[in-house]
Amino acid sequence: EPEVTQTPSHQVTQMGQEVILRCVPISNHLYFYWYRQILGQKVEFLVSFYNNEISEKSEIFDDQFSVERPDGSNFTLKIRSTKLEDSAMYFCASSEEWTGKTQYFGPGTRLLVL
Amino acid sequence: ELKVEQNPLFLSMQEGKNYTIYCNYSTTSDRLYWYRQDPGKSLESLFVLLSNGAVKQEGRLMASLDTKARLSTLHITAAVHDLSATYFCAVGSNNDMRFGAGTRLTVKP
């Protein structure tokens, strides 16, 4: 069964450094998403992406963040100048269509900013 | 500002019993999601509800949406241990999406 994959599974970085989290969505899916969850608490939506453009973004997704689909398979989240409060589990998801269709989630990347 | 409230936050129930989780939200929305998360695991998409009166069922779980009341419910029928997990609702509105705090469900034998 097709699945969403994410790399790395864990990332430790120093405050102020840049990190890139990678996701490979399911191949025929057209919509891609990033979410984060801090210490098993509430999940937060970051951004959705379609046709090489951001569709929706939350107020969390400020200039510190960017997303890119650099090739036909990867979908990346870049966090510039990381802060301590960026420490979280970051989940990527993909879906065939915008609404009414199931989103499939990757296993997550645990980011720790020291 | 879009706010989403779930209740209860914790729910312990006996196998075979029925219960309902509630999700209230503060502004008009264009879609509502229910997700499941097992401890230490990723999210699993359960339902997407798009219109007033929408009802979807999968196994022992049934979700409904009342857009006029700004309320969605997730009803659990004849609970079994395998349903133990945290359940999140999420509401999409005006190019944003907000999650509820989650309901941690424990089903006891």
Side-chain angles (χ1 to χ4, degrees):
Chain A
E1 183 174 326
E3 59 182 17
V4 177
T5 60
Q6 289 185 245
T7 55
S9 58
H10 294 79
Q11 172 98 44
V12 181
T13 190
Q14 295 291 324
M15 189 170 56
Q17 295 296 305
E18 175 182 287
V19 294
I20 298 176
L21 309 183
R22 290 182 168 79
C23 169
V24 179
I26 293 173
S27 62
N28 64 332
H29 285 187
L30 301 177
Y31 294 87
F32 316 116
Y33 315 84
W34 283 102
Y35 302 86
R36 73 179 185 187
Q37 185 175 33
I38 298 175
L39 283 178
Q41 296 174 12
K42 187 185 288 193
V43 180
E44 297 175 316
F45 166 72
L46 295 178
V47 67
S48 62
F49 192 84
Y50 168 72
N51 199 27
N52 284 322
E53 289 184 348
I54 291 173
S55 300
E56 293 183 332
K57 62 179 183 178
S58 70
E59 59 190 19
I60 300 169
F61 194 89
D62 58 20
D63 292 343
Q64 186 195 3
F65 296 89
S66 62
V67 288
E68 192 179 26
R69 188 155 164 83
D71 53 42
S73 60
N74 288 284
F75 178 52
T76 62
L77 174 68
K78 181 187 291 185
I79 309 174
R80 287 180 279 274
S81 189
T82 50
K83 306 171 191 170
L84 296 177
E85 53 265 37
D86 294 327
S87 296
M89 192 72 151
Y90 287 79
F91 294 108
C92 171
S94 69
S95 63
E96 286 182 74
E97 295 177 13
W98 176 231
T99 56
K101 288 292 184 180
T102 301
Q103 296 172 316
Y104 293 84
F105 285 81
T109 293
R110 185 177 297 278
L111 176 65
L112 179 60
V113 182
L114 301 175
Chain B
E1 182 189 350
L2 175 58
K3 293 184 179 179
V4 181
E5 288 189 3
Q6 260 182 264
N7 68 84
L9 298 182
F10 297 92
L11 176 56
S12 180
M13 53 191 299
Q14 296 289 326
E15 278 191 331
K17 299 292 186 182
N18 304 332
Y19 211 84
T20 300
I21 299 170
Y22 298 88
C23 176
N24 290 90
Y25 54 97
S26 60
T27 67
T28 56
S29 82
D30 44 48
R31 59 200 188 278
L32 189 139
Y33 301 85
W34 283 97
Y35 299 94
R36 169 182 170 144
Q37 186 177 39
D38 291 305
K41 301 292 186 181
S42 185
L43 292 159
E44 176 186 352
S45 182
L46 295 175
F47 302 108
V48 182
L49 303 169
L50 302 177
S51 58
N52 187 43
V55 177
K56 291 194 176 180
Q57 183 164 4
E58 180 77 30
R60 300 175 188 274
L61 301 177
M62 183 174 71
S64 66
L65 178 61
D66 181 343
T67 58
K68 294 179 181 177
R70 295 177 185 166
L71 169 69
S72 179
T73 60
L74 181 67
H75 187 72
I76 303 155
T77 302
V80 293
H81 178 69
D82 286 352
L83 290 179
S84 295
T86 298
Y87 293 85
F88 292 96
C89 68
V91 178
S93 177
N94 293 328
N95 297 320
D96 195 2
M97 185 178 177
R98 298 289 173 96
F99 282 72
T103 296
R104 184 174 294 182
L105 171 66
T106 304
V107 181
K108 298 181 177 179

